[in-house]
Amino acid sequence: MEILTSYNLIIGASLIVVLSFFFNGISKKTNIPAVLMLIVLGILIKIGLEFFIPEIPDFKGSLEILGTVGLIMIVLEAALELELKKEKLWPILKSMAIALIGLVGSAYVAALILNQFIPNMTMQSAWLYATPLSILSSAIIIPSVGGLSEEKKEFHIYESTFSDIMGIMMFYFLTGKLDPAEDTGVVGFGINLVVTIVIALVASYAIILVFQRIKSQAKLFLLISVLLLLYAIGKKMHLSSLIIILVFGLIVKNVNLFFPGKTKIFLENERMQQIYHELHIVTLETAFVVRTFFFVIFGITIVLSSLLSVNVAIVSLLIIASIYIIRFLVLIVFVGKDMLPQLFIAPRGLITVLLFYAIPMKAQIEGFESGILLFVIIATSLVMTWAMIRDKRKMGTMLDEIDEEIAERNLAEDAIRQSESEELIEPKNDAPEQISPEDSH
C-alpha cells in the first residue's frame, strides 16, 4: 500500500493545520507552547510512518526552506507590531542591550561547556555550536506572551526580535572567520551592517511608493515575494538580510514618522492603511502555517535515542543552567526585582534548529549529538510554560483578591446606607403624638 500519495499528503497536511489551530487554542488556555505540541505531533507521525515505510524521506532540505521563510514572516509580523515613539526609545534600547549581553554571555559560557565535554571540539567550532543555543525564539515567545501586561509583552517582542537578528549576524560573522579569505574583521562587519541598513531604507521607500499605486487586489503575495527576493539576494551578498525585513516592517507600521513634513505628499494614507492591515493579516496567517509545518517536520527528523545519552543530559543541563544564571544577572541590572515571569521566558526554537543545520562542514564535529539541541529546546519551553502558568495563577489570585475587596467594600457601603436610612426613619416613628382638639377637651 502506497502511503505517500498526493491525496494522502493533502489529507495529512490539512489535518496538521487543523490540529495546529486547536493547539493554539489549548496554548492560550493552558500556556503550554503550541510548538511543543507540534514537535510531539511530528514524533508521533514519525512513529506511525515507520510502521508503513522502510525508510523515512530526508526532510532537512524542506526544513531549511520552511525555517527561512518562517523566520522572515515572524520578524515581519513582530516589526508590524512595533510602534516607534520617543517615550519608547528607552525600552527599545534596554531590550536591545539585554538581548545582546544575554546572547554573547550565553554563547561564551555554552562554548566553554561544549569545548570541555565534547571530544575534538575546538573553541572556534564551539562558538558556532553555542550561538544557535543562545538565541531566543521569537517563534515561540511572540505568540505566547499575549496574556502579559502591555509593558512586559512589548519587552519580549523587542528582545526576542533583536536576539534573532543579532544572533544570526553573530553566527554568520563567526562562519566568515572560518575562511581567512572571507574574514573582513570587525571593521568589515560594521561596514556590512551600515550598507545593509542603507539598502533596507532605500528598498523600503521604493516598495512603499510603488505598491501604494498598484490598483490590483492580488498584490500582497507579490509584496512578500519581493521581500523574500531581497532577503535571498542580501544573503548571497553576505549582508544581514533580516535587517531589511525589520526596517520595512517598521516603516510600514510607522509610516507617518518616516514621511515627515512635506514628504507626506508622496503618501496615499488610505492605501497605506489598507496595505498595512492586509499585510498584517497575510503575514500572521503565513507565519502560522510555516511555523506549524517547520516544527512538525522537526519532530519527524528527531532521533529520540540521542536523548538517552548521559553526556547529552549533563551538557544540556549545564547549558540550561548557564542560560538562566546569565539571564538573572542581566535582568537584575536592567530591570530590577520585577523580573517575573521574564526571567524564565527564554525558549530556544526555530532559529536554533535553522542555524544548527547551517553550520559549515569544516566546522562540524562528529562527537556533537543533536539530542543536546532537542533537550535544550524542550527544557526551556517547559520552563517557560511553568512560569507562564504560575504567573497566570498569580494574576488570577490577585484578581480574586481585588474582587473580594470590592465585594467587602460594597457590603460595607450597603450596611452604611441601611443604617443611614434607618436613622432617617426612626425620628418619624419616635415623634410625639399630635393631640387632637377633641382630646384637649
Side-chain angles (χ1 to χ4, degrees):
M1 180 182 176
E2 185 65 37
I3 295 297
L4 300 178
T5 63
S6 56
Y7 290 116
N8 284 344
L9 288 173
I10 291 169
I11 291 168
S14 302
L15 286 173
I16 287 169
V17 173
V18 171
L19 286 172
S20 181
F21 176 80
F22 283 109
F23 290 165
N24 275 359
I26 294 168
S27 178
K28 287 177 182 177
K29 290 185 177 181
T30 63
N31 285 113
I32 298 170
V35 167
L36 281 181
M37 292 181 258
L38 291 171
I39 292 173
V40 171
L41 177 62
I43 293 170
L44 294 175
I45 290 172
K46 179 184 180 180
I47 294 169
L49 287 174
E50 286 173 346
F51 281 105
F52 296 100
I53 53 179
E55 189 175 346
I56 296 173
D58 187 5
F59 290 103
K60 287 184 180 178
S62 59
L63 200 63
E64 186 176 351
I65 294 169
L66 282 170
T68 303
V69 175
L71 178 61
I72 292 168
M73 292 296 105
I74 288 161
V75 171
L76 182 57
E77 180 189 347
L80 291 170
E81 295 275 358
L82 301 179
E83 192 174 359
L84 299 178
K85 292 180 179 179
K86 286 182 180 178
E87 58 267 26
K88 292 187 178 180
L89 181 61
W90 171 241
I92 290 172
L93 292 175
K94 184 169 70 172
S95 301
M96 187 184 292
I98 291 170
L100 179 60
I101 296 168
L103 171 69
V104 176
S106 298
Y108 174 67
V109 177
L112 291 175
I113 294 167
L114 294 173
N115 180 247
Q116 186 70 31
F117 286 90
I118 306 297
N120 304 319
M121 177 73 79
T122 63
M123 200 60 191
Q124 189 177 31
S125 291
W127 269 97
L128 270 173
Y129 277 90
T131 300
L133 291 167
S134 306
I135 301 172
L136 297 173
S137 175
S138 60
I140 298 175
I141 291 173
I142 292 173
S144 303
V145 295
L148 298 180
S149 66
E150 193 62 31
E151 183 183 350
K152 291 184 178 182
K153 176 185 171 184
E154 208 168 57
F155 163 74
H156 285 298
I157 292 173
Y158 286 134
E159 185 199 19
S160 60
T161 304
F162 287 133
S163 181
D164 285 353
I165 293 167
M166 291 186 291
I168 290 168
M169 289 167 62
M170 179 173 159
F171 179 83
Y172 284 107
F173 173 73
L174 293 169
T175 56
K177 292 187 120 4
L178 293 171
D179 189 352
E182 293 183 8
D183 184 16
T184 56
V186 177
V187 175
F189 181 74
I191 293 170
N192 178 294
L193 184 60
V194 172
V195 169
T196 304
I197 292 171
V198 171
I199 291 173
L201 288 169
V202 172
S204 298
Y205 277 106
I207 290 170
I208 286 170
L209 292 173
V210 171
F211 272 83
Q212 68 178 350
R213 285 170 173 77
I214 296 177
K215 304 301 181 185
S216 170
Q217 293 296 317
K219 61 178 180 291
L220 288 176
F221 276 102
L222 172 63
L223 175 55
I224 289 172
S225 298
V226 171
L227 292 175
L228 292 172
L229 180 65
L230 286 172
Y231 179 89
I233 292 172
K235 295 303 295 181
K236 287 284 186 183
M237 296 169 63
H238 304 288
L239 300 175
S240 303
S241 297
L242 212 57
I243 290 177
I244 298 173
I245 307 301
L246 179 67
V247 169
F248 174 76
L250 288 173
I251 292 176
V252 172
K253 171 63 177 177
N254 305 276
V255 71
N256 291 322
L257 179 65
F258 287 91
F259 283 85
K262 293 182 179 179
T263 58
K264 281 188 171 61
I265 61 171
F266 297 107
L267 282 179
E268 296 182 21
N269 284 321
E270 288 186 9
R271 299 288 293 172
M272 277 309 303
Q273 286 297 319
Q274 183 186 0
I275 288 172
Y276 167 75
H277 288 297
E278 291 178 354
L279 182 62
H280 199 282
I281 292 168
V282 170
T283 304
L284 195 69
E285 296 282 357
T286 307
F288 164 74
V289 173
V290 173
R291 188 191 296 125
T292 293
F293 285 107
F294 177 87
F295 284 108
V296 169
I297 292 174
F298 175 61
I300 293 172
T301 61
I302 285 171
V303 181
L304 290 174
S305 58
S306 63
L307 290 174
L308 302 176
S309 167
V310 175
N311 194 51
V312 165
I314 292 170
V315 172
S316 301
L317 288 171
L318 286 172
I319 290 173
I320 291 163
S322 71
I323 287 170
Y324 294 111
I325 291 169
I326 291 167
R327 188 163 177 80
F328 172 80
L329 295 173
V330 174
L331 288 177
I332 200 74
V333 173
F334 286 93
V335 178
K337 293 182 179 179
D338 184 22
M339 62 170 72
L340 296 176
Q342 301 97 297
L343 172 61
F344 300 108
I345 300 179
R348 274 53 178 162
L350 188 147
I351 296 180
T352 301
V353 179
L354 185 62
L355 294 185
F356 174 74
Y357 287 118
I359 295 172
M361 285 294 295
K362 62 179 78 173
Q364 289 183 13
I365 306 296
E366 287 186 10
F368 183 88
E369 297 184 71
S370 59
I372 295 171
L373 204 70
L374 178 61
F375 202 112
V376 172
I377 289 172
I378 291 176
T380 51
S381 296
L382 288 173
V383 169
M384 186 189 83
T385 302
W386 168 80
M388 296 289 284
I389 291 171
R390 184 174 176 275
D391 185 70
K392 193 173 183 179
R393 284 176 181 167
K394 182 180 175 184
M395 286 300 296
T397 304
M398 287 173 65
L399 290 172
D400 289 341
E401 288 175 0
I402 292 168
D403 288 342
E404 286 174 9
E405 286 179 9
I406 292 170
E408 288 174 5
R409 189 174 64 194
N410 290 341
L411 287 171
E413 287 176 356
D414 290 342
I416 291 168
R417 288 194 196 98
Q418 188 174 353
S419 63
E420 287 177 351
S421 62
E422 286 174 358
E423 286 176 6
L424 290 171
I425 293 168
E426 280 175 6
K428 293 178 183 178
N429 296 334
D430 298 338
E433 291 183 8
Q434 296 291 329
I435 300 173
S436 64
E438 292 178 2
D439 293 336
S440 61
H441 294 294

